Amino acid sequence: MRFWLIKSEPDVFGFAELMRRGREPWNGVRNYQARNFLRDMREGDLCLFYHSNARPPGVAGVARVCRAAYPDDLQFDSGSSYFDPKSDPAQPRWSMVDVEPLVAFPALVTLEALRRLPDWADSPLTRKGSRLSVLPVTSEQFWDVLDAAGLSLEDLNGVPA
DNA sequence: GCCAACGTTGGC
DNA sequence: GCCAACGTTGGC
């Protein structure tokens, strides 16, 4: 099992919305590096759900990958802002995964709090100017954040140790 | 293949 | 709303 961080703007789609829906395709990623990380995801991987462009920004909860990468349908939808006319249906350029909510944090673990965690000092997330919307995190980084949220493995329902 | 112009991200 | 940082585009 691997760990990731995925960004979303809460004004557009926040963790609470994921809780309401129960499951959601993680579409609209249009950056090659982020796409490649999506393609590395496996069912069961855990994702820190990060609220960007928010006041304050931070991690709102944990989601689980419930379907590995498959073609993002919005790339072929000419009415979508994520439409990509250069994408070949025979070899789709963009991918998405499905995620489901696992646990909502009692309180946001803010970016400011993340910056104080030693394991997060050299992350693309905390580095100035980084815009990567899907990134791998180490298990140390993941459990640091869980700890900062006041949670532990037992709170991650059904996740094997 | 270079690089200037442009659009977007995202913290503040 | 500002603007720094970054990725992409397209002329040459």
Side-chain angles (χ1 to χ4, degrees), chain A residues 3 12 42 54 80 86 99-100 110 123 126 140 151 157 160:
Chain A
F3 304 97
V12 179
R42 296 292 174 262
S80 167
K86 295 187 202 159
V99 295
E100 61 188 4
T110 64
S123 168
T126 50
E140 289 83 3
L151 301 178
N157 197 23

Side-chain angles (χ1 to χ4, degrees), chain A residues 60-157:
Chain A
V62 178
R64 176 162 46 193
V65 176
C66 54
R67 181 176 174 185
Y70 61 108
D72 180 341
D73 47 5
L74 296 182
Q75 69 195 303
F76 303 121
D77 177 358
S78 61
S80 167
S81 57
Y82 295 114
F83 177 56
D84 183 352
K86 295 187 202 159
S87 184
D88 175 4
Q91 267 197 321
R93 180 180 294 192
W94 304 111
S95 301
M96 61 183 176
V97 300
D98 287 356
V99 295
E100 61 188 4
L102 199 57
V103 62
F105 288 171
L108 197 75
V109 177
T110 64
L111 177 60
E112 187 191 10
L114 287 176
R115 290 190 197 281
R116 287 196 297 266
L117 301 173
D119 286 325
W120 281 88
D122 199 32
S123 168
L125 184 82
T126 50
R127 207 169 302 145
K128 188 180 180 189
S130 174
R131 305 179 317 192
L132 192 57
S133 62
V134 178
L135 53 129
V137 307
T138 66
S139 59
E140 289 83 3
Q141 289 173 325
F142 181 85
W143 294 113
D144 276 356
V145 173
L146 260 285
D147 189 53
L151 301 178
S152 61
L153 177 63
E154 298 88 74
D155 300 302
L156 298 182
N157 197 23

Side-chain angles (χ1 to χ4, degrees), chain A residues 39-59:
Chain A
R39 290 181 176 176
D40 284 341
M41 287 183 178
R42 296 292 174 262
E43 197 176 322
D45 283 358
L46 300 186
C47 303
L48 298 172
F49 193 111
Y50 180 84
H51 284 174
S52 62
N53 242 328
R55 290 208 308 269
V59 180

